[in-house]
Amino acid sequence: MTAESKSRTCSRIVPTIWIVAAITALFSAQALWKGTNDPHDIKPLAKELSSIFVIQKLPTVNHVGNLVGVIHTTKQGIGVFLSNADTKAEYKLCEVKDSDYMASSAWVYGWSPDDKIFVYSWSNNLQFCSSAGEILGTKPHGTNVPALAWLSNDSYALLDGTNLLRVKFSNGDWKTVGAWPVQVPSGVQRSLQTVNENKVAWPGDNALWQLDFLSGEQRQLYSNSSNRIANICYSANTGAFLVTEAMTNRTPPTYYFLNKVVIDSITHAAVATSLDQGPSILNAQWFNQGKGYAYRTLKSGYLSLVCKANDDL
């Protein structure tokens, strides 16, 4: 029996206004998912936002599931906002005119593990704020920080060009405590994943890489020379990576493969299990503590959210 036949499709969100709900739900923290249910009040909030504004970048949701960090258009231009799914209130963190918007340096990265600090990138600065929208600090960075991952409540890792940085909060400021040159893909990298407080993983062009901050060792965990790794997601509960691969040795349209990859802790051998495949598998994520997965798919011009759950995953 294949993974496809064993899995059961538990949710499918169709186009128009619910596209935004699908995107928002997909990038929610694992804590948002209660079995196969959608996050509470996230769809109505996404519907309300999208009926007025255009969401510019992928949103992010805190671990509790009541706050959405989002970059969207406004009557005056474009800004970063925190939207409360319970109260429907929205906090404006910053806003500029359309002509002043720097899309390449605008990202929402999400919350610290305890949900007390939200971080986003704006005008080549990392901005730290509370869940109530209070600015806690600013840290300048380079012009290319496409990925950031929290390691603990007082530390995070980020990609700055071809360097991976480890940053910790000390004496009232965020300070870089280590920097390592790393293998990065040729395109934009958005899949930096926390394995634990001392290890992070990211995809190269056709390989999955991991860095151990304590030893400084950079290890290739998994590779497939035939395909490009488009996205990864890690589940700390199962110790498994969800790896999306795009076939490169064929003419368009691109064809995708979705694999569960587990790394043996002793031999470091990678065991890959096929979960899904098709012409469109985008931004695949684990949910339900690694017992299910979700991804966006584009078919005949319609964007949908596919969600599959299986206790044997």
Side-chain angles (χ1 to χ4, degrees), residues 23-33 39 42 59-62 285-286:
I23 295 173
T24 304
L26 178 56
F27 287 89
S28 302
Q30 291 183 7
L32 285 173
W33 297 86
I42 293 296
T60 182
V61 181
N62 68 348
Q285 304 281 297
W286 290 119

Side-chain angles (χ1 to χ4, degrees), residues 139-161:
K139 183 177 177 60
H141 63 70
T143 59
N144 182 23
V145 183
L148 181 150
W150 284 97
L151 302 173
S152 66
N153 293 327
D154 63 355
S155 64
Y156 61 86
L158 63 83
L159 282 169
D160 188 354

Side-chain angles (χ1 to χ4, degrees), residues 23 44 87 108 212 225 275:
I23 295 173
T87 66
V108 287
D212 187 321
S225 59
L275 298 179

Side-chain angles (χ1 to χ4, degrees), residues 40-42 45 64-67 83-89:
H40 69 284
D41 290 333
I42 293 296
L45 176 64
V64 174
N66 62 347
L67 287 176
S83 298
N84 191 305
D86 295 327
T87 66
K88 306 302 185 294

Side-chain angles (χ1 to χ4, degrees), residues 182-199:
V182 294
Q183 301 285 335
V184 294
S186 53
V188 175
Q189 161 62 282
R190 289 287 297 158
S191 297
L192 186 64
Q193 296 284 296
T194 300
V195 177
N196 58 47
E197 187 173 347
N198 296 305
K199 292 180 181 179

